[in-house]
Amino acid sequence: MKILNPSQLKQVDEQTIANQAINSWDLMQRASATVVASLLEDFPELLEKPVYILCGKGNNGGDGLAIAGLLEALGATVEVYLIDAEQYSADNAENQEKLGHERIRMFNLEDILAFERDAIIIDCLFGYGLNTALSADWHGIIDQINAARAVRISVDMPSGLSCETHITVDSPIIRADRVYTFQVPKLNLLLPEYGEFVKSFSILDIGLDIEAMEGQKTNMHYLTAKSVKLLMPIRTKFSHKGTFGHALLIGGSYGKMGAMLLASKAALRTGCGLVSVGIPNCGTSIVQTAFPEAMVFADAAELSLRDFNFPTDLTAIGMGVGMGTDELTVRGFAIYLQSLPEDARLVLDADALNILAQQESLLQALPAETILSPHPKELSRLIGTWDNDYEKLSKAKIFASEHQVFLIIKGANSVLVCPDGSLYFNSTGNPGMATGGSGDVLTGILTSLRAQGMSAKDTAILGMYLHGLAGDIASRDTGEASLIASDIINNLANAFQDLKDS
């Protein structure tokens, strides 16, 4: 699914109106009806609670006025507030007439608004057209909304937050419990920096013209089951274990062999034919007892990797989990990395990334299309610190391009940064996956898919989607607080089946 900017969204709206022989007011009514249907599904108590709808002077406010009329027709108790302005959009003005001016309370930025406790507030002040921060004058109204003991629902965007320009978090912005955004996600709904303003969001299909959408060019995408399922490896009747590759996972140290168990189990559950591990000698009996399906290459060193006397010609190699960064490990890692063939399929995580950050010259030794999967702290060691998420993405793009690597920045809405500058935001995953070992599982998944012959880009897209989906399925049984990394592995089969059936 494409992520579009405000200019593109406006073009799509205009083409939809022309191609479907409707007017802008018709499209507004369609969007508003879709919002109401979602409200009733997600908040069935809405018809029994006081509802406040705050409307701006533009078309987002027009949506709010239309929503008010629809909810009132269903029996909801609705209070409509409309900003007092000299001029309104044409569709906004028409919906004022249809609702009736006697049903509308005008307000100014200096006013005190009274919200009943346990109410539902629907924010329709500003939509996708906002491209700069609201003035400080808006703090009074926005702060009142944010302080209310109510459920806050924003239509299209939380008012005060633009689609894709940087807004400082101390600006007046609605803290939305749910955002109903139209047709496609917007960049700022996906960035961690704005998480406090976007607790959750839903994408509502309002029937915008498909050809108009497809005609828009963008380098930003949001992953959906429809597109990701096309990447799934196909198994044929005459396949055998050699068909699906041999993954080698290198890492582990005394006290951290669990990371290698998680990665290797995840790799085999993801479908590669064979899994071997390269580990210090202390882990041999652990791995062969706890995970007999894996083969072991043991380093001569007892407690941590030193010699790295492992094969370099296996189908794909994943390195770094639980590995440590002591002096001999760093030396052995550097020698092994530089011995890899140019076409090696490589996945690096955890301590492999920390070593690269310490010895930047090793970046030149990375085979083309290496996949790196840092969490934010590891990323900052590689690319430097950033002041905001826009700067982070900019630096990440430069790094990926310079070194021709695929960079998965882990976290909420994990994002794949490609060497050509394109971005792919993940739609799966949940806060319960913020637990020790979750990243090790992802490394195993990625190495397995790479071993099965998938390109680095397709591996990264399918890998992070499956990883998040398995976590989502696991959370249904365990809840988020109790989810552990092994639960993700145990639900990989369900994730594959869910994606196949979608």
Side-chain angles (χ1 to χ4, degrees):
M1 180 180 290
K2 295 179 178 180
I3 299 172
L4 303 180
N5 62 39
S7 175
Q8 292 173 313
L9 291 167
K10 184 177 180 181
Q11 291 178 36
V12 171
D13 283 349
E14 292 172 349
Q15 290 178 50
T16 298
I17 290 167
N19 294 345
Q20 296 181 7
I22 59 175
N23 58 42
S24 59
W25 185 85
D26 294 326
L27 185 58
M28 179 179 288
Q29 300 310 106
R30 183 195 299 175
S32 300
T34 305
V35 170
V36 170
S38 296
L39 282 168
L40 295 176
E41 181 177 352
D42 297 336
F43 302 94
E45 71 279 12
L46 179 142
L47 296 179
E48 301 173 0
K49 291 191 172 186
V51 178
Y52 298 88
I53 304 181
L54 282 83
C55 302
K57 64 182 182 178
N59 279 354
N60 194 245
D63 290 332
L65 294 163
I67 290 167
L70 292 169
L71 288 177
E72 283 191 338
L74 293 169
T77 303
V78 179
E79 190 81 45
V80 180
Y81 287 95
L82 175 67
I83 186 70
D84 192 0
E86 293 182 1
Q87 187 174 358
Y88 299 90
S89 71
D91 293 333
N92 185 307
E94 184 170 349
N95 277 340
Q96 290 180 45
E97 294 292 335
K98 289 186 177 295
L99 185 62
H101 291 285
E102 71 282 358
R103 288 288 302 110
I104 300 171
R105 296 181 61 177
M106 310 303 290
F107 75 94
N108 293 300
L109 298 185
E110 299 81 16
D111 289 349
I112 303 298
L113 307 182
F115 301 114
E116 290 186 42
R117 188 170 180 172
D118 295 327
I120 292 178
I121 299 175
I122 301 177
D123 158 37
C124 297
L125 294 170
F126 294 92
Y128 72 72
L130 187 72
N131 58 15
T132 188
L134 294 179
S135 68
D137 295 341
W138 276 94
H139 265 300
I141 294 297
I142 300 294
D143 290 350
Q144 289 179 61
I145 297 170
N146 287 338
R149 292 192 173 185
V151 174
R152 287 174 290 277
I153 300 165
S154 291
V155 174
D156 209 23
M157 292 292 295
S159 290
L161 188 62
S162 69
C163 282
E164 59 166 52
T165 54
H166 179 250
I167 303 291
T168 60
V169 295
D170 58 354
S171 302
I173 305 172
I174 298 288
R175 288 185 169 87
D177 296 295
R178 175 69 62 86
V179 178
Y180 290 121
T181 199
F182 296 134
Q183 205 70 41
V184 296
K186 283 71 179 179
L187 179 59
N188 280 349
L189 297 178
L190 302 170
L191 300 181
E193 185 173 0
Y194 300 121
E196 65 181 297
F197 308 107
V198 188
K199 290 184 180 178
S200 66
F201 71 90
S202 300
I203 302 169
L204 305 188
D205 185 346
I206 59 171
L208 296 183
D209 188 79
I210 295 175
E211 289 186 6
M213 296 284 294
E214 291 178 346
Q216 301 298 323
K217 294 182 179 180
T218 178
N219 67 348
M220 296 189 296
H221 305 268
Y222 186 66
L223 300 182
T224 63
K226 181 179 179 180
S227 60
V228 174
K229 70 181 296 183
L230 300 176
L231 304 178
M232 292 177 65
I234 298 174
R235 303 176 84 90
T236 64
K237 178 180 179 180
F238 296 103
S239 301
H240 53 83
K241 64 185 178 183
T243 306
F244 302 108
H246 190 164
L248 172 62
L249 290 153
I250 299 173
S253 57
Y254 181 75
K256 295 181 180 178
M257 289 310 304
M260 288 299 292
L261 285 173
L262 291 168
S264 56
K265 286 182 179 180
L268 208 54
R269 282 290 185 194
T270 305
C272 64
L274 297 166
V275 171
S276 291
V277 296
I279 54 177
N281 192 50
C282 67
T284 301
S285 60
I286 295 173
V287 171
Q288 294 195 317
T289 301
F291 188 42
E293 292 89 347
M295 296 173 284
V296 174
F297 294 104
D299 195 282
E302 183 68 19
L303 302 181
S304 59
L305 294 174
R306 181 188 65 197
D307 295 336
F308 285 79
N309 51 345
F310 308 128
T312 60
D313 59 350
L314 299 189
T315 322
I317 301 169
M319 301 177 69
V321 301
M323 188 168 68
T325 57
D326 70 38
E327 184 177 350
L328 292 178
T329 300
V330 172
R331 178 179 177 276
F333 170 82
I335 294 172
Y336 180 81
L337 182 63
Q338 294 173 87
S339 73
L340 293 175
E342 291 183 358
D343 61 350
R345 299 169 178 170
L346 187 62
V347 177
L348 299 180
D349 186 29
D351 287 322
L353 303 178
N354 293 328
I355 293 172
L356 288 180
Q358 293 172 8
Q359 299 194 14
E360 294 183 10
S361 61
L362 291 177
L363 290 167
Q364 308 307 316
L366 296 180
E369 298 200 342
T370 293
I371 299 173
L372 312 182
S373 56
H375 58 56
K377 191 66 176 178
E378 291 163 345
L379 180 67
S380 69
R381 295 177 186 132
L382 288 170
I383 68 173
T385 58
W386 52 83
D387 291 330
N388 57 67
D389 282 339
Y390 279 82
E391 185 180 359
K392 176 184 71 178
L393 291 175
S394 177
K395 287 187 172 184
K397 287 180 182 180
I398 293 170
F399 182 91
S401 175
E402 181 178 352
H403 301 291
Q404 290 296 293
V405 297
F406 288 82
L407 197 61
I408 297 176
I409 304 175
K410 294 183 291 194
N413 305 310
S414 293
V415 56
L416 169 65
V417 183
C418 300
D420 65 0
S422 58
L423 303 176
Y424 291 82
F425 288 87
N426 195 22
S427 61
T428 60
N430 63 82
M433 298 175 70
T435 184
S438 179
D440 304 327
V441 172
L442 177 60
T443 297
I445 292 171
L446 295 171
T447 308
S448 178
L449 294 174
R450 200 74 173 98
Q452 292 172 65
M454 294 183 65
S455 69
K457 179 179 178 179
D458 289 351
T459 289
I461 290 172
L462 179 59
M464 65 181 184
Y465 189 93
L466 282 172
H467 180 250
L469 181 57
D472 289 340
I473 296 169
S475 71
R476 297 172 196 166
D477 294 327
T478 66
E480 292 180 354
S482 296
L483 194 152
I484 62 174
S486 293
D487 297 327
I488 303 173
I489 298 172
N490 294 337
N491 281 281
L492 278 170
N494 294 326
F496 272 107
Q497 193 61 46
D498 271 22
L499 186 55
K500 180 180 178 181
D501 294 341
S502 63

